[in-house]
Amino acid sequence: MPHIAIIGSGPAGYYTAEAAQKQWGDDVRVDVFDQLPVPYGLIRTGVAPDHQSIKGVSRRYEKTALTENVRFVGNVTVGKDVSVAELQQLYDAVVLATGAPNDKMLGLPGEDLANVYGSASFVGWYNGHPEFARLDPDLSGKHAVVIGMGNVALDVARILAKTETEFSGSDIVGHALQKLINSGIEKITILGRRGPHQIMMTPKELGELGNLERASPRVDRSDLPDEAEDALLEPGLRKSVTQLRSFAAIPEDMHAEKKIEIEFDFFASPVAMEGSGKVESVRVERTEVKAGRAVRTGESYSIPADVVVACIGYRTSPITGVPFDDRAGRFANDEGRILTGLYCVGWARRGPSGTIGTNRPDGFGLIEKIAEDIDAGLLGPAKRKGRSGFDELVKERGLDVVTFQDWKKIEEAEAAAAREGSPREKFIDIEAMISAAN
Ligand code: NAP
């Protein structure tokens, strides 16, 4: 019976656990580790709080989590409480499903000014991730600049723009809700270093910007390529560009009815954050897109910015002893294989791309590879101890492991503390989570 350790309880982790059950039925034991006392990774702390239908996928992970042969091992940090090498001694296969929790950096002067954030920390703040919940961004200024034209940039712009009513039914954490609805923001500039035909935003998510109570999206018609050229785009992108065209057609009097303007600034590559102590503006250089690449033209200008959120992608956290592809910001791997018995899946394997659902075929594909390696005798004849071996280690080290049943108590307490209409008020401290579990 294979013993599998999966590190990370987000979508990639739970789809891989589900795939292991499909592959071996009852004849497998899977331990799903998480450094937090709560499961689901990005579903809890990445997916936008007003996208509850996407978060609903956690019910599927719960089904897997509640089976006898899969268990949740929360509040254990691999690399600190236990090493990857130790887990490899105990489990036949160790799968890193650790995602990509760190911000890719812009590498620009002034990036360290106050009120300049990466999306990992800003999204973590409004989603109550214990590491970022106390970020306390200053939202009293009028101008916000969001860098990047992907779905995370859309999430951030939308969350900055919503009213209290629009947050009803969401699980945005209370401290962030209060700050956001009372913010002074009147203009949100979304900066793209390339043009409308190169955006990474998907149509449904982009469309949401067109239906906001107090905000209106503004696209400059002259930035849009000739409409005939849209025919060459793949269908999803074509729909997104059609959405941009509809924003460009919004009449001035309709913009005037809304307090907040969300401006798309294309062909604008950030070159520096400016300000004394705290960010005041973003210096950008105009670009032209040549053969798909942004080429700077030498023309530059400054955009007022009281707060900046860079939504330009993420990197995986390296783990000592595990080969890492520094350029790509993920583990060095060949279709999920890192070293004998050591694998990766999801964003830790392929980088931060795709939707939640992309992780399903990823997890299933990886389990096929592990099964091939087991059949080929590559994982060794050694009878590994699996979870009983890990339990010995827990006793030896006095680790305070959180089980899935403990998590259910945390979940209950969060539901009980929820605002009216909200599914939960998340605990933002690890200690509070653990005391609710106990
Ligand atoms: P993304 O889709 O890769 O978009 C990153 C954006 O940042 C791109 O517009 C990119 O421009 C820009 N960028 C990168 N480096 C830059 C730099 N140095 N200066 C200026 N701009 C830069 O990444 P993401 O938005 O973080 O999303 C990650 C993944 O999560 C995506 O697959 C996304 O679809 C998914 N996601 C999905 C949802 C949803 O479905 N609701 C919500 C959130 C996230 P270039 O194209 O020019 O490089």
Side-chain angles (χ1 to χ4, degrees), residues 146-158:
V146 177
I147 301 175
M149 290 214 176
N151 282 331
V152 173
L154 279 179
D155 281 347
V156 168
R158 190 183 68 253

PDB file of all heavy atoms in Angstrom, residues 146-158:
ATOM      1  N   VAL A 146      -2.961  49.779  -9.948  1.00  0.00           N
ATOM      2  CA  VAL A 146      -2.861  48.323  -9.943  1.00  0.00           C
ATOM      3  C   VAL A 146      -2.009  47.947 -11.154  1.00  0.00           C
ATOM      4  O   VAL A 146      -2.338  48.324 -12.280  1.00  0.00           O
ATOM      5  CB  VAL A 146      -4.272  47.692 -10.045  1.00  0.00           C
ATOM      6  CG1 VAL A 146      -4.182  46.177 -10.119  1.00  0.00           C
ATOM      7  CG2 VAL A 146      -5.134  48.117  -8.855  1.00  0.00           C
ATOM      8  N   ILE A 147      -0.908  47.259 -10.906  1.00  0.00           N
ATOM      9  CA  ILE A 147       0.000  46.938 -12.025  1.00  0.00           C
ATOM     10  C   ILE A 147      -0.269  45.515 -12.514  1.00  0.00           C
ATOM     11  O   ILE A 147      -0.308  44.569 -11.723  1.00  0.00           O
ATOM     12  CB  ILE A 147       1.473  47.091 -11.587  1.00  0.00           C
ATOM     13  CG1 ILE A 147       1.719  48.528 -11.108  1.00  0.00           C
ATOM     14  CG2 ILE A 147       2.426  46.728 -12.733  1.00  0.00           C
ATOM     15  CD1 ILE A 147       3.101  48.769 -10.543  1.00  0.00           C
ATOM     16  N   GLY A 148      -0.448  45.351 -13.804  1.00  0.00           N
ATOM     17  CA  GLY A 148      -0.692  44.029 -14.394  1.00  0.00           C
ATOM     18  C   GLY A 148      -2.102  43.952 -14.948  1.00  0.00           C
ATOM     19  O   GLY A 148      -3.011  44.653 -14.473  1.00  0.00           O
ATOM     20  N   MET A 149      -2.263  43.147 -15.985  1.00  0.00           N
ATOM     21  CA  MET A 149      -3.591  43.002 -16.585  1.00  0.00           C
ATOM     22  C   MET A 149      -4.019  41.544 -16.611  1.00  0.00           C
ATOM     23  O   MET A 149      -4.416  40.986 -17.645  1.00  0.00           O
ATOM     24  CB  MET A 149      -3.602  43.631 -17.983  1.00  0.00           C
ATOM     25  CG  MET A 149      -3.516  45.155 -17.910  1.00  0.00           C
ATOM     26  SD  MET A 149      -4.428  45.944 -19.221  1.00  0.00           S
ATOM     27  CE  MET A 149      -4.227  47.673 -18.807  1.00  0.00           C
ATOM     28  N   GLY A 150      -3.930  40.904 -15.447  1.00  0.00           N
ATOM     29  CA  GLY A 150      -4.417  39.536 -15.284  1.00  0.00           C
ATOM     30  C   GLY A 150      -5.639  39.529 -14.382  1.00  0.00           C
ATOM     31  O   GLY A 150      -6.137  40.586 -13.967  1.00  0.00           O
ATOM     32  N   ASN A 151      -6.114  38.340 -14.043  1.00  0.00           N
ATOM     33  CA  ASN A 151      -7.322  38.231 -13.216  1.00  0.00           C
ATOM     34  C   ASN A 151      -7.101  38.701 -11.779  1.00  0.00           C
ATOM     35  O   ASN A 151      -8.043  39.129 -11.115  1.00  0.00           O
ATOM     36  CB  ASN A 151      -7.835  36.793 -13.227  1.00  0.00           C
ATOM     37  CG  ASN A 151      -8.586  36.482 -14.515  1.00  0.00           C
ATOM     38  OD1 ASN A 151      -9.174  37.367 -15.133  1.00  0.00           O
ATOM     39  ND2 ASN A 151      -8.562  35.219 -14.925  1.00  0.00           N
ATOM     40  N   VAL A 152      -5.858  38.623 -11.297  1.00  0.00           N
ATOM     41  CA  VAL A 152      -5.613  39.113  -9.935  1.00  0.00           C
ATOM     42  C   VAL A 152      -5.743  40.635  -9.908  1.00  0.00           C
ATOM     43  O   VAL A 152      -6.328  41.204  -8.985  1.00  0.00           O
ATOM     44  CB  VAL A 152      -4.242  38.635  -9.402  1.00  0.00           C
ATOM     45  CG1 VAL A 152      -3.922  39.299  -8.067  1.00  0.00           C
ATOM     46  CG2 VAL A 152      -4.230  37.116  -9.242  1.00  0.00           C
ATOM     47  N   ALA A 153      -5.251  41.296 -10.963  1.00  0.00           N
ATOM     48  CA  ALA A 153      -5.407  42.755 -11.048  1.00  0.00           C
ATOM     49  C   ALA A 153      -6.893  43.109 -11.047  1.00  0.00           C
ATOM     50  O   ALA A 153      -7.323  44.066 -10.387  1.00  0.00           O
ATOM     51  CB  ALA A 153      -4.731  43.278 -12.318  1.00  0.00           C
ATOM     52  N   LEU A 154      -7.691  42.316 -11.744  1.00  0.00           N
ATOM     53  CA  LEU A 154      -9.144  42.558 -11.761  1.00  0.00           C
ATOM     54  C   LEU A 154      -9.747  42.379 -10.377  1.00  0.00           C
ATOM     55  O   LEU A 154     -10.575  43.188  -9.943  1.00  0.00           O
ATOM     56  CB  LEU A 154      -9.830  41.571 -12.713  1.00  0.00           C
ATOM     57  CG  LEU A 154      -9.804  41.893 -14.197  1.00  0.00           C
ATOM     58  CD1 LEU A 154     -10.506  40.804 -14.978  1.00  0.00           C
ATOM     59  CD2 LEU A 154     -10.467  43.248 -14.467  1.00  0.00           C
ATOM     60  N   ASP A 155      -9.324  41.299  -9.691  1.00  0.00           N
ATOM     61  CA  ASP A 155      -9.827  41.074  -8.319  1.00  0.00           C
ATOM     62  C   ASP A 155      -9.528  42.294  -7.454  1.00  0.00           C
ATOM     63  O   ASP A 155     -10.401  42.803  -6.744  1.00  0.00           O
ATOM     64  CB  ASP A 155      -9.127  39.865  -7.675  1.00  0.00           C
ATOM     65  CG  ASP A 155      -9.689  38.524  -8.130  1.00  0.00           C
ATOM     66  OD1 ASP A 155     -10.761  38.502  -8.750  1.00  0.00           O
ATOM     67  OD2 ASP A 155      -9.038  37.480  -7.853  1.00  0.00           O
ATOM     68  N   VAL A 156      -8.277  42.749  -7.504  1.00  0.00           N
ATOM     69  CA  VAL A 156      -7.851  43.840  -6.614  1.00  0.00           C
ATOM     70  C   VAL A 156      -8.609  45.132  -6.955  1.00  0.00           C
ATOM     71  O   VAL A 156      -9.129  45.817  -6.071  1.00  0.00           O
ATOM     72  CB  VAL A 156      -6.319  44.031  -6.691  1.00  0.00           C
ATOM     73  CG1 VAL A 156      -5.888  45.326  -6.016  1.00  0.00           C
ATOM     74  CG2 VAL A 156      -5.610  42.841  -6.045  1.00  0.00           C
ATOM     75  N   ALA A 157      -8.726  45.433  -8.264  1.00  0.00           N
ATOM     76  CA  ALA A 157      -9.426  46.658  -8.664  1.00  0.00           C
ATOM     77  C   ALA A 157     -10.891  46.592  -8.211  1.00  0.00           C
ATOM     78  O   ALA A 157     -11.442  47.566  -7.689  1.00  0.00           O
ATOM     79  CB  ALA A 157      -9.333  46.832 -10.178  1.00  0.00           C
ATOM     80  N   ARG A 158     -11.512  45.443  -8.411  1.00  0.00           N
ATOM     81  CA  ARG A 158     -12.934  45.293  -8.044  1.00  0.00           C
ATOM     82  C   ARG A 158     -13.134  45.430  -6.533  1.00  0.00           C
ATOM     83  O   ARG A 158     -14.045  46.102  -6.065  1.00  0.00           O
ATOM     84  CB  ARG A 158     -13.432  43.924  -8.546  1.00  0.00           C
ATOM     85  CG  ARG A 158     -14.921  43.715  -8.453  1.00  0.00           C
ATOM     86  CD  ARG A 158     -15.302  42.301  -8.913  1.00  0.00           C
ATOM     87  NE  ARG A 158     -14.835  41.250  -8.016  1.00  0.00           N
ATOM     88  CZ  ARG A 158     -13.846  40.416  -8.271  1.00  0.00           C
ATOM     89  NH1 ARG A 158     -13.198  40.465  -9.416  1.00  0.00           N
ATOM     90  NH2 ARG A 158     -13.466  39.503  -7.375  1.00  0.00           N
TER      91      ARG A 158
END
